[in-house]
C-alpha cells in the first residue's frame, strides 16, 4: 500500500543523511489537505529492501529485546490540564524558558517501575527532579517564562511500543496553574543492536529515510510519520510491508522533474494506514533498518533514538 503525504509543509535544516540533491523544479504548495491513499506495487528496489529488513527482524533477538523493553512513542512531557492559559505561556514552553523559584526534592529511590495493563513491567533508573527539570530547558533568558515552584514524584500514562503504560513522572508545580506539568522520570531502555545495516548515507535510488514518528492512532490502525522530499517534486509517499512481526515503511518521492532546483528539503506528514493494528509488531524504517523513532513537535526527542 502506498500512502500519499498530507500537505503539511515544514522546511527544516537537513542532516547529511537526508541531503537533497538538486533534482527537479517546481513551485511549493502549502496547506492542509486530506491525505490521499492509493494502491500500487512498491518500487522493486524498496520492496526488496523492505522484505530484507522484515526478514532480518522477524524472530530476531533484537525483536525479542524490543518487545520486553520500554520505548516511549509519545511526548515525555504532559501539559497541565486544559493546556496553557495564554500564548505567552505556550511560547515560553516552546522556547524552553523556565525559572525555578522553589526547591526541588531529592530522589526517593534509585529506580522506577514502568507497568503495562497486562501486569508486565520493567524496572529502570530513576531520573532526579533536577535532571527532569533541566530537560525542560531551564532557559531563563529574555521573554515570557514559566515559573516552577516545586515538584513531587508521581506517575503518568504514556503510549509506548508495547501500548499504554503507567510510567513514573515528576509533577512540576507551575505558578498560575492548578494542575502540574508532568515529565517522565525514567530513561528509555537501551535500543537493541539492529540485525541489519542501513542502506548508506543519503537517499538510495528512490528510498529515503523516515524522519520520525509523529503520532500513533488510538486504535493502532494508522500512524503518522514525517517524510522528506525536495523543493521541486510532488512530495513523499510511503509504502508499507506488513508481516506478523513487523511493519516496514519505505519512503520515496514522486513527480521529479529535470532542471535546476534549490538544494533544500521539506518535511511533510504522511498518514500510513495499516491492514491491522500495529500491536506489538516493530515499526521499522526500510532505509535505516531500525525502529522508527518518535519525536515531539518541539525540542529534542525524548525517545530512545
Amino acid at each position: 500500500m502506498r500512502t500519499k503525504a498530507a500537505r503539511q509543509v515544514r522546511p527544516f535544516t537537513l542532516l547529511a543523511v537526508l541531503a537533497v540533491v538538486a533534482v527537479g523544479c517546481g513551485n511549493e504548495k502549502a496547506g492542509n489537505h486530506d491525505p490521499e491513499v492509493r494502491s500500487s506495487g512498491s518500487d522493486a528496489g524498496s520492496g526488496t529492501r523492505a522484505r530484507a529488513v522484515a526478514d532480518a527482524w522477524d524472530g530476531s533477538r533484537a525483536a525479542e529485546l524490543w518487545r520486553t523493553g520500554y520505548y516511549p512513542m509519545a511526548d515525555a512531557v504532559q501539559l497541565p490540564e486544559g493546556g496553557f492559559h495564554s500564548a505567552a505561556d505556550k511560547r515560553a514552553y516552546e522556547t524552553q524558558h523556565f525559572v525555578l523559584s522553589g526547591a526541588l526534592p531529592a530522589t526517593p529511590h534509585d529506580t522506577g517501575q514502568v507497568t503495562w495493563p497486562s501486569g508486565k513491567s520493567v524496572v529502570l533508573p530513576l531520573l532526579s527532579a533536577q535532571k527532569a527539570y533541566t530537560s525542560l530547558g531551564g532557559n531563563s533568558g529574555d521573554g515570557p517564562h514559566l515559573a516552577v515552584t516545586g515538584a513531587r514524584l508521581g506517575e503518568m500514562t504514556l503510549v509506548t511500543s508495547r501500548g499504554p503504560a503507567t510510567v513514573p513522572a515528576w509533577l512540576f508545580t507551575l505558578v498560575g496553574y492548578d494542575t502540574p506539568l508532568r515529565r517522565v522520570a525514567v530513561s528509555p531502555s537501551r535500543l537493541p543492536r539492529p540485525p541489519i545495516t542501513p542502506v548508506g548515507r543519503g537517499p538510495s535510488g528512490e528510498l529515503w529515510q523516515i524522519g520520525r514518528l509523529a503520532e500513533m492512532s488510538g486504535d493502532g490502525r494508522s500512524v503518522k510519520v514525517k517524510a522528506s522530499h525536495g523543493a521541486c517534486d510532488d512530495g513523499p509517499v510511503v509504502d508499507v510491508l506488513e508481516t506478523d512481526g513487523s511493519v516496514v515503511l519505505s519512503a520515496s518521492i514522486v513527480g521529479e522533474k529535470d532542471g535546476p532546483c534549490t538544494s533544500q528539503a521539506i518535511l511533510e506528514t504522511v498518514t500510513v494506514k495499516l491492514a491491522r493494528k500495529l500491536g506489538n509488531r516493530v515499526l521499522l524504517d526500510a532505509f535505516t533498518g531500525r525502529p522508527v523513532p518518535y519525536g515531539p513537535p518541539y525540542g529534542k526527542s525524548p525517545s530512545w533514538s
Side-chain angles (χ1 to χ4, degrees):
M1 181 180 191
R2 173 164 286 190
T3 306
K4 185 75 168 62
R7 301 297 290 180
Q8 298 174 355
V9 181
R10 187 183 310 179
F12 73 113
T13 301
L14 205 56
L15 300 176
V17 73
L18 287 175
V20 175
V21 287
V23 292
C25 185
N27 295 323
E28 182 58 54
K29 296 180 181 180
N32 296 316
H33 303 296
D34 291 333
E36 174 190 348
V37 180
R38 60 189 184 187
S39 298
S40 72
S42 297
D43 166 75
S46 64
T48 301
R49 170 65 180 178
R51 174 54 62 184
V53 171
D55 289 345
W57 273 87
D58 290 356
S60 68
R61 174 61 175 165
E64 180 182 347
L65 291 172
W66 174 265
R67 294 189 180 96
T68 58
Y70 161 62
Y71 302 101
M73 292 295 185
D75 201 342
V77 178
Q78 291 180 357
L79 305 183
E81 292 179 12
F84 292 117
H85 296 336
S86 66
D89 285 356
K90 181 180 179 181
R91 177 61 178 166
Y93 174 71
E94 293 174 0
T95 55
Q96 299 183 312
H97 280 198
F98 286 81
V99 173
L100 183 60
S101 58
L104 295 177
T107 307
H109 35 79
D110 294 335
T111 61
Q113 183 169 282
V114 178
T115 306
W116 285 268
S118 64
K120 294 182 178 180
S121 62
V122 61
V123 175
L124 295 164
L126 194 66
L127 295 176
S128 68
Q130 183 60 53
K131 286 186 177 180
Y133 171 75
T134 300
S135 73
L136 297 174
N139 180 1
S140 58
D142 295 334
H145 64 270
L146 292 166
V148 174
T149 60
R152 64 181 177 86
L153 188 62
E155 60 186 29
M156 59 190 274
T157 300
L158 189 72
V159 176
T160 75
S161 61
R162 300 165 60 182
T166 301
V167 184
W170 285 106
L171 280 54
F172 291 98
T173 304
L174 301 180
V175 171
Y177 289 84
D178 296 329
T179 57
L181 180 148
R182 300 168 186 258
R183 204 287 180 188
V184 171
V186 289
S187 297
S189 301
R190 183 176 180 179
L191 185 67
R193 182 182 179 87
I196 189 170
T197 58
V199 168
R201 295 180 65 84
S204 175
E206 290 194 4
L207 192 61
W208 287 59
Q209 181 177 347
I210 298 290
R212 60 181 173 85
L213 174 67
E215 182 181 335
M216 187 183 301
S217 66
D219 61 6
R221 294 295 295 269
S222 68
V223 296
K224 291 183 178 181
V225 297
K226 294 293 185 178
S228 61
H229 67 102
C232 304
D233 53 60
D234 291 335
V237 293
V238 177
D239 284 310
V240 187
L241 173 65
E242 299 190 43
T243 71
D244 289 339
S246 61
V247 173
V248 185
L249 305 182
S250 302
S252 59
I253 59 175
V254 293
E256 297 179 54
K257 298 179 181 178
D258 294 331
C261 183
T262 57
S263 180
Q264 69 182 89
I266 300 164
L267 199 63
E268 293 195 18
T269 302
V270 182
T271 299
V272 181
K273 296 182 180 179
L274 306 178
R276 56 189 175 92
K277 67 178 182 179
L278 182 62
N280 67 350
R281 295 183 293 171
V282 188
L283 185 66
L284 298 164
D285 177 6
F287 186 94
T288 64
R290 291 170 170 262
V292 178
Y294 169 78
Y298 312 111
K300 296 180 179 180
S301 171
S303 187
W304 41 266
S305 59

